Amino acid sequence: MPSVNNFIMVIIDLMTALMGVSMGFLAFLVIGGISGASALIFYPGQANRPKLEKLLLAAFLGFVAALGSSYLGQYFALFQSGQMLEWLSAIFASCLTGCIFTALAK
C-alpha cells in the first residue's frame, strides 16, 4: 500500500519535471527571440528601422529555430539537456534563421 511519503515524492518529481520544461521554454523564447530580432536589426544594408511585424516574425522564427535545434540535437544524441553545446546550437540556429529571413525579406 502506498504511503504518504511516496505520494509526496511523486508530486515533487512531477513539479521538478514541469518546472524544467517551462524554464527551458522561456529560455529558448528569450534566446531565440533576441537573436532573431538582433539579426534583423543589425543586418548590414538597412537604411531605416524594420517594421514591427517583421521584428516580431524574426523573433518568432528565432525562437522556433532555437527550440528545434535543441530538440533535434537531443533526439540525435548530440548533447543532453542543459549542456553548453545545446545553448550554442540554439544561439547559432536562431541567428542563422534571423539572417536568412532578413536576407529573403528584402
Side-chain angles (χ1 to χ4, degrees), residues 36-37 40-41 46-59 101-102 105:
L40 180 67
I41 292 171
Q46 286 193 348
N48 51 6
R49 293 176 44 188
K51 294 181 180 178
L52 182 63
E53 294 86 19
K54 283 188 178 181
L55 190 66
L56 291 175
L57 185 59
F101 169 72
T102 304

Side-chain angles (χ1 to χ4, degrees), residues 67-105:
L67 195 65
S69 71
S70 170
Y71 285 128
L72 285 176
Q74 290 178 36
Y75 178 76
F76 289 116
L78 298 174
F79 47 77
Q80 294 177 355
S81 179
Q83 287 183 331
M84 184 59 73
L85 187 58
E86 177 189 22
W87 296 106
L88 292 175
S89 71
I91 292 169
F92 178 75
S94 60
C95 287
L96 182 67
T97 303
C99 288
I100 290 172
F101 169 72
T102 304
L104 295 177

